[in-house]
């Protein structure tokens, strides 16, 4: 008898206990929905339509985790059971006569299925599988995290606003003497509680749990997260078990025409004293989320100490030099193929690779071949006498030699536009060539300016000329003088995308003459940072809780390497992007030359070799 099953989407084999647990949860959700349908058909209050929203979102979240084998599925199952116990079990036990018998039966079966699912997922056989995928599969994607965060903020703000209004009404009603005023206040409180408050609080709690469980913060690894969770669960229990009953009692007393003093003593004053707990908890939760005090918990420190260092994946694929030929003065073209003839990783125009030379030196080179041809890579290397030796070693490569190729990575992508103007200087033609070929094949309007010191130093000059004299302008400055960039860029239409790669003088001129929204620039020499104003800051490694003090005289990468020696890095000049680290909290101060980072909001990733922090603390996913 087989003891495991395979999820087709992920190919991951999992114990049957997990399959049973997830199946039990799905059955529980279906039964709860059936209970809802029965009650609605029987004339139940319309506010129960909020339940499918919550259950549907929970089921979608659960299905995603099931498909990807995420280790925190048990968190969702536990939350489902807790939700049922807190919000539905009191009504199932206290007022059985008010419920439709079939709906009650569905509710009890649903609760039983969820409890059984939680028991199954915590059994050792299932738990071992979850632990095995803890570090590899625990994080949600940035896109999902942003969606959850937006939902969490919206629902939390809505709940905070409503509970503040309810507290205001309760305090005002406690001092009122008019029965009509009390009837209006308590009726409104009861209506808001039954239709909005519960679903908003549940959605805020569930999305908060998902964010904590699916990010390096964890549920119990940071004091502020654990405190916020306990507070939100506590106020939920108080609201469900106490405040709701008090509001209902106050409403009943008013409808019965009881004296104001009796209403105030039995329900009004307790409501006025307890409802402000909600806004107070909301304010504390907000402060905790903003300031994140307290550091890691004892469990978090223990987990960080026990957590094994991740095994780094191989730096790339082994490739063989198939051919090397001169294409200009001091420029060679190197053709690489897979070691065993296998296809190389795919790429798009603008991409570059990391080339690990036989000496171990790693350098970055733009791909200049055909992206559709995965049998080989073409790169061009200009010998730099003032360089660190990588270009000279690349010129000494010979056919048959093995090298390691990392990537490809693309920080200079070709974005859709109605027309294109390409400006290439010297060896900067290498990433531009595939772009021109792609745009030409798609039939889009384009023009190319190729500038070089002399015709003998311009790589791929014949290939560029063959693209069409009517669209290509080749300028050798020793015979033709400098190109008229202001005129060339000035006649370009407002919807023309300008792509430039070349020496610092050329890229700076294009940047001065082109609006930021239209230009896309890649440098092959790093921007000078000699006059940068470095300020000290703190960096927290979210997975271990370690706090690094980064002085003005050292880079963030230096400090990270002291505790995470295996962190990847290559150029260390802010050009290649190999050292990028995900930012969990804080705002990086970008000093890199990676265009993609500047076109984003710049908060998702930091390149620690050159970049620093705009906030006093930067929290990193390390």
């Amino acid at each position: 008898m087989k003891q495991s099953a395979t999820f087709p989407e992920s190919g991951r084999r999992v114990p049957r206990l997990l399959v049973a647990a997830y199946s039990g949860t799905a059955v529980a959700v279906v039964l709860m929905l059936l209970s809802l349908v029965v009650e609605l058909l029987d004339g139940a209050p319309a506010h129960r339509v909020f339940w499918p929203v919550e259950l549907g979102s929970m089921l979608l979240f659960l299905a995603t985790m099931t498909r990807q084998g995420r280790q925190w599925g048990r968190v969702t199952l536990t939350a489902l059971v807790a939700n049922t116990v807190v919000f539905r079990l009191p009504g199932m036990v206290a007022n059985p006569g008010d419920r439709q018998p079939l709906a009650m039966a569905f509710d009890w079966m649903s609760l039983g299925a969820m409890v059984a699912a939680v028991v199954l997922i915590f059994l050792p056989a299932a738990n071992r599988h979850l632990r095995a995928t803890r570090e590899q599969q625990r994080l949600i994607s940035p896109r999902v995290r942003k969606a959850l965060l937006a939902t969490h903020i919206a629902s939390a703000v809505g709940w905070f606003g409503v509970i503040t209004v309810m507290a205001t009404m309760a305090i005002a009603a406690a001092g009122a003497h008019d029965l009509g005023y009390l009837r209006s206040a308590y009726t409104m409180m009861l209506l808001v509680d039954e239709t909005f408050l519960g679903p908003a609080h549940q959605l805020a709690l569930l999305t908060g749990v998902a964010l904590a469980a699916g990010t390096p913060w964890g549920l119990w690894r940071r004091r502020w997260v654990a405190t916020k969770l306990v507070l939100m669960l506590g106020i939920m229990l108080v609201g469900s078990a106490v405040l709701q009953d008090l509001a209902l009692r106050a409403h009943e007393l008013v409808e019965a025409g009881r004296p104001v003093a009796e209403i105030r003593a039995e329900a009004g004053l307790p409501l006025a004293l307890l409802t402000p707990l909600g806004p107070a908890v909301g304010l504390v939760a907000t402060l905790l989320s903003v300031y994140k005090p307290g550091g890691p918990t004892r469990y978090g420190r223990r987990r960080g100490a026990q957590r094994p260092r991740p095994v780094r994946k191989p730096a790339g694929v082994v490739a063989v030099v198939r051919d090397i030929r001169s294409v200009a003065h001091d420029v060679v073209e190197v053709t690489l193929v897979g070691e065993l003839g296998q296809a190389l990783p795919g790429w798009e125009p603008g991409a570059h690779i990391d080339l690990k030379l036989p000496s171990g030196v790693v350098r970055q080179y733009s791909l200049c071949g055909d992206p559709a041809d995965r049998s080989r890579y073409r790169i061009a290397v200009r010998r730099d006498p003032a360089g660190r030796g990588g270009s000279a070693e690349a010129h000494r490569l010979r056919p048959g030699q093995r090298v390691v190729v990392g990537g490809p990575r693309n920080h200079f992508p070709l974005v859709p536009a109605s027309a294109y103007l390409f400006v290439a200087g010297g060896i900067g033609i290498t990433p531009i060539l595939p772009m021109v070929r792609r745009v030409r094949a798609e039939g889009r309007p384009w023009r190319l300016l190729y500038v070089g010191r002399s015709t003998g130093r311009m790589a791929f000059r014949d290939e560029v000329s063959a693209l069409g004299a009517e669209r290509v302008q080749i300028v050798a400055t020793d015979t033709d003088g400098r190109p008229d960039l202001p005129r060339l860029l000035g006649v370009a239409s407002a919807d023309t995308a300008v792509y430039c790669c070349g020496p610092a003088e050329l890229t700076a001129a294009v940047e001065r003459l082109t609006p930021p929204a239209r230009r896309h620039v890649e440098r092959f020499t790093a921007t000078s940072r000699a006059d940068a104003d470095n300020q000290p800051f703190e960096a927290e490694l979210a997975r271990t809780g370690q706090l690094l003090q980064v002085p003005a005289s050292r880079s963030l990468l230096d400090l990270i390497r002291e505790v995470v020696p295996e962190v990847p890095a290559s150029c260390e000049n802010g050009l290649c992007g190999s050292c990028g680290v995900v930012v969990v909290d804080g705002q990086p101060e970008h000093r890199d030359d990676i265009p993609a980072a500047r076109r984003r909001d710049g908060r998702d990733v930091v390149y620690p070799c050159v970049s620093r922090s705009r906030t006093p603390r930067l929290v990193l996913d390390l």
Side-chain angles (χ1 to χ4, degrees):
M1 177 179 177
K2 293 183 179 180
Q3 296 299 315
S4 61
T6 302
F7 290 133
E9 295 88 341
S10 64
R12 185 181 299 279
R13 299 187 67 81
V14 297
R16 290 191 183 277
L17 287 174
L18 278 183
V19 177
Y22 286 120
S23 302
T25 307
V27 169
V29 172
V30 171
L31 288 170
M32 194 175 289
L33 289 173
L34 288 174
S35 170
L36 170 68
V37 171
V38 170
E39 289 201 357
L40 289 176
L41 292 176
D42 196 46
H47 73 264
R48 294 189 183 276
V49 299
F50 283 101
W51 284 104
V53 176
E54 176 202 346
L55 296 177
S57 62
M58 293 287 288
L59 183 59
L60 179 62
F61 186 42
L62 176 65
T64 301
M65 291 188 298
T66 304
R67 181 168 59 87
Q68 298 183 4
R70 298 197 183 276
Q71 64 88 19
W72 29 275
R74 55 184 178 182
V75 174
T76 304
L77 297 181
T78 308
L80 269 171
V81 173
N83 179 76
T84 300
V85 169
V86 171
F87 285 97
R88 295 184 71 87
L89 189 58
M92 295 162 59
V93 175
N95 304 302
D98 297 339
R99 302 285 306 284
Q100 217 275 355
L102 184 58
M104 285 289 291
F106 282 142
D107 273 350
W108 282 109
M109 287 189 291
S110 172
L111 180 59
M114 282 192 287
V115 171
V118 171
V119 171
L120 288 172
I121 207 167
F122 273 95
L123 290 178
N127 197 35
R128 280 195 298 270
H129 175 80
L130 296 175
R131 286 182 179 275
T133 61
R134 180 182 300 274
E135 300 301 335
Q136 293 85 355
Q137 296 283 339
R138 76 179 312 272
L139 302 182
I140 53 181
S141 67
R143 181 176 297 179
V144 174
R145 178 172 60 84
K146 287 184 177 180
L148 285 172
L149 183 60
T151 306
H152 178 69
I153 292 173
S155 55
V157 169
W159 172 82
F160 182 78
V162 169
I163 196 65
T164 302
V165 171
M166 289 185 67
T168 304
M169 288 191 294
I171 294 172
H177 298 280
D178 180 52
L179 275 177
Y181 185 92
L182 295 180
R183 180 179 290 107
S184 299
Y186 292 134
T187 300
M188 183 62 68
M189 288 180 66
L190 199 60
L191 178 64
V192 170
D193 179 72
E194 290 182 343
T195 58
F196 182 81
L197 194 63
H201 195 173
Q202 292 176 71
L203 189 59
L205 179 65
L206 294 174
T207 51
V209 168
L211 282 168
T215 62
W217 295 121
L219 279 172
W220 299 106
R221 295 189 178 192
R222 296 292 185 279
R223 288 192 177 95
W224 70 271
V225 178
T227 303
K228 184 178 174 182
L229 178 61
V230 170
L231 287 175
M232 296 301 287
L233 284 174
I235 198 63
M236 179 181 285
L237 290 171
V238 170
S240 176
V242 179
L243 293 179
Q244 192 175 48
D245 287 344
L246 283 173
L248 183 61
R249 180 58 179 162
H251 183 266
E252 291 174 348
L253 292 172
V254 170
E255 292 297 321
R258 306 300 290 272
V260 172
E262 182 180 341
I263 297 172
R264 182 184 296 117
E266 191 168 339
L269 286 177
L271 269 177
L273 293 173
L274 290 176
T275 48
L277 287 175
V281 168
L283 179 60
V284 172
T286 301
L287 294 174
L288 289 172
S289 298
V290 172
Y291 291 100
K292 300 176 176 59
T297 61
R298 181 179 300 179
Y299 168 77
R301 287 194 296 270
R302 187 170 65 249
R303 285 291 305 153
Q306 293 174 352
R307 178 179 176 268
R309 294 291 185 192
V311 178
R312 286 189 64 190
K313 295 180 180 180
V317 298
V318 177
V320 178
V321 178
R322 178 179 176 181
D323 186 33
I324 181 167
R325 67 186 182 97
S326 175
V327 291
H329 176 71
D330 275 347
V331 180
V332 296
E333 180 194 65
V334 181
T335 302
L336 305 169
V337 296
E339 182 182 28
L340 301 176
Q342 73 271 29
L344 295 168
W347 59 284
E348 290 294 318
H352 70 269
I353 60 171
D354 297 328
L355 182 65
K356 186 175 182 180
L357 297 164
S359 67
V361 170
V362 179
R363 294 291 182 267
Q364 290 71 41
Y365 298 105
S366 296
L367 292 166
C368 57
D370 180 5
D373 183 5
R374 294 183 56 189
S375 66
R376 60 177 179 166
Y377 285 160
R378 290 173 58 200
I379 61 173
V381 183
R382 180 178 67 88
R383 186 196 300 270
D384 184 2
R388 295 177 292 170
S391 61
E393 184 177 357
H395 274 243
R396 294 195 296 270
L397 290 173
R398 293 294 177 265
Q401 280 189 276
R402 287 171 171 77
V403 293
V404 176
V405 174
R409 288 192 298 273
N410 198 344
H411 302 305
F412 191 44
L414 183 66
V415 300
S418 58
Y420 296 87
L421 173 59
F422 299 100
V423 181
I427 198 64
I429 190 64
T430 50
I432 297 295
L433 263 179
M435 293 183 178
V436 174
R437 295 192 191 105
R438 171 68 61 84
V439 171
R440 185 176 181 230
E442 292 176 351
R444 298 177 184 269
W446 63 275
R447 293 181 65 192
L448 168 62
L449 169 65
Y450 184 19
V451 184
R453 289 161 56 186
S454 65
T455 55
R457 294 177 177 272
M458 302 177 74
F460 307 116
R461 187 173 182 275
D462 292 340
E463 291 187 34
V464 172
S465 299
L467 293 171
E470 70 283 358
R471 294 184 181 272
V472 175
Q473 180 182 359
I474 300 177
V475 177
T477 57
D478 64 341
T479 57
D480 303 326
R482 293 181 179 275
D484 189 356
L485 281 176
R487 183 194 63 79
L488 178 67
L489 295 172
V491 299
S493 61
D495 55 355
T496 298
V498 178
Y499 278 80
C500 177
C501 182
E505 184 180 0
L506 179 65
T507 56
V510 170
E511 287 181 327
R512 286 195 306 269
L513 298 168
T514 312
R518 291 172 51 200
R519 69 169 179 256
H520 307 265
V521 175
E522 182 172 66
R523 299 170 175 83
F524 45 78
T525 56
T527 301
S528 174
R529 305 178 181 91
D531 58 348
D533 181 19
N534 291 347
Q535 297 296 325
F537 63 96
E538 294 180 340
E540 180 182 346
L541 308 188
R543 299 189 186 184
T544 63
Q546 288 179 280
L547 195 61
L548 309 179
Q549 302 293 333
V550 186
S553 59
R554 300 186 65 186
S555 72
L556 175 57
L557 180 62
D558 288 341
L559 273 295
I560 292 175
R561 277 176 167 163
E562 292 182 0
V563 293
V564 189
E566 67 273 15
V567 66
S570 181
C571 75
E572 300 188 27
N573 282 319
L575 288 170
C576 70
S578 62
C579 64
V581 178
V582 172
V583 176
V584 177
D585 191 50
Q587 184 176 2
E589 180 184 350
H590 289 288
R591 297 183 180 180
D592 57 82
D593 293 306
I594 299 172
R598 299 179 183 275
R599 283 194 295 272
R600 296 192 306 267
D601 59 13
R603 296 179 68 96
D604 286 342
V605 67
V606 65
Y607 300 96
C609 61
V610 294
S611 297
R612 301 185 72 82
S613 178
R614 295 187 183 275
T615 49
R617 179 177 294 188
L618 205 60
V619 183
L620 308 175
D621 182 20
L622 283 173

